[in-house]
Amino acid sequence: IKTTKKLSITVLGTASSVLIGQDALGAAYPARLEVELQKKLEGVEVKVNAVIQTRQTTADLWRQMGRILSEKRPSLVIWQTGTYDAIRGIEPDQMRVALDKGIEAARAAGADVMLVNMQYSPRTANMIALNDYIDIMRLVSQEKEALLFDRYGVMRYWFDTRQFDLYTRARGMALARRVHDCLGRAMATMIYDVLMPKASDEPVKP
C-alpha cells in the first residue's frame, strides 16, 4: 500500500460468498468489503475480486491456490472454507494440513492470508457438527499468525442478540443483503485496524 497506493484482495470462497438475484454481485460481502475499504483507505485503489468454488473442501481449494495466486496476484487472500469439510465429514486433521499448505502457498506468492470460517444458521447448527472445524481454523490461525474472521461467532452473536432473525425465511434476499453488508463492513474494519492500529474502536452494528 505504501509503495503502490494499491490493495488487491482475492476472496477464495464458496456459495455463501455470493448472492442471487438482481444486483446480487454488488450486494455480496466481497463487493461491500471493497466499498468500505475504499472509504477507509483514502488515496488507495482497492480491488476485491471473488473466486467462487462450490462444493469444495479445504484440500480442494488448497490445490487450486497456486493457479489462482498466479492469475490474480493479490496482496491479501481471504480464504473462506470449512462448511463442505463438515458436510463431507472430512477428518479435522486433514483440514488442518490443507490450511497449513494453503497459507504457506499464499505467503510464498507474496500474499497475506485472512481465514473466514463458516456462517451460522440456527436451522443447521444442530444438524452439522462444526465445532471441531471451527477449533482447527482458530488453532491454525494462531500457529501461522494469520488473521481469522470469526464469521460463525459474529453471526451467532447477531442472532442471539436479536439483531438478525436468521431462522425465518420470510425476509429472503433482503435479509441476506443486510447480513452481507454487515459482514463486509466488519471485515473492512478488521483489516483497517491491522493496517492502522487503534484507528477504529467502533463495533459494526447492523
Side-chain angles (χ1 to χ4, degrees), residues 10-205:
T10 293
V11 176
L12 178 57
T14 54
S16 61
S17 298
V18 296
L19 295 171
I20 59 175
Q22 187 176 6
D23 299 326
L25 185 62
Y29 81 75
R32 305 314 302 159
L33 170 64
E34 179 177 295
V35 169
E36 290 301 316
L37 277 178
Q38 192 67 73
K39 292 177 183 177
K40 293 176 179 294
L41 299 173
E42 294 185 12
V44 177
E45 180 185 342
V46 179
K47 181 63 178 177
V48 179
N49 59 79
V51 179
I52 307 304
Q53 306 287 333
T54 61
R55 298 180 179 274
Q56 300 286 294
T57 65
T58 302
D60 293 332
L61 293 172
W62 156 61
R63 293 187 185 99
Q64 300 175 60
M65 185 78 74
R67 173 184 59 81
I68 293 169
L69 290 168
S70 64
E71 291 176 357
K72 303 298 183 181
R73 299 187 180 279
S75 299
L76 173 65
V77 174
I78 296 178
W79 189 4
Q80 175 197 306
T81 190
T83 301
Y84 202 56
D85 294 78
I87 293 173
R88 290 277 307 276
I90 301 296
E91 286 294 328
D93 282 345
Q94 294 182 27
M95 178 182 171
R96 178 177 179 174
V97 170
L99 285 169
D100 285 343
K101 291 182 177 180
I103 292 172
E104 290 168 2
R107 287 178 172 167
D112 289 316
V113 179
M114 181 169 80
L115 301 176
V116 179
N117 60 17
M118 312 78 170
Q119 63 180 350
Y120 172 76
S121 169
R123 290 180 173 271
T124 59
N126 295 323
M127 299 171 57
I128 305 174
L130 297 177
N131 287 341
D132 288 346
Y133 302 94
I134 291 172
D135 289 344
I136 285 293
M137 293 187 72
R138 184 177 294 109
L139 178 63
V140 170
S141 72
Q142 293 171 351
E143 291 181 342
K144 294 293 186 179
E145 296 184 339
L147 290 176
L148 172 66
F149 182 82
D150 184 11
R151 181 173 60 155
Y152 184 91
V154 168
M155 291 182 66
R156 181 163 187 171
Y157 172 78
W158 286 339
F159 176 74
D160 289 344
T161 56
R162 300 183 180 181
Q163 297 182 61
F164 283 121
D165 182 358
L166 301 175
Y167 192 84
T168 181
R169 298 179 184 272
R171 298 183 183 180
M173 290 307 301
L175 173 62
R177 287 167 182 258
R178 287 183 59 211
V179 170
H180 272 251
D181 180 62
C182 288
L183 287 172
R185 290 163 52 204
M187 286 183 189
T189 298
M190 184 176 186
I191 293 169
Y192 183 71
D193 285 349
V194 172
L195 295 172
M196 307 288 287
K198 305 298 182 182
S200 175
D201 295 322
E202 289 295 321
V204 173
K205 299 179 180 179

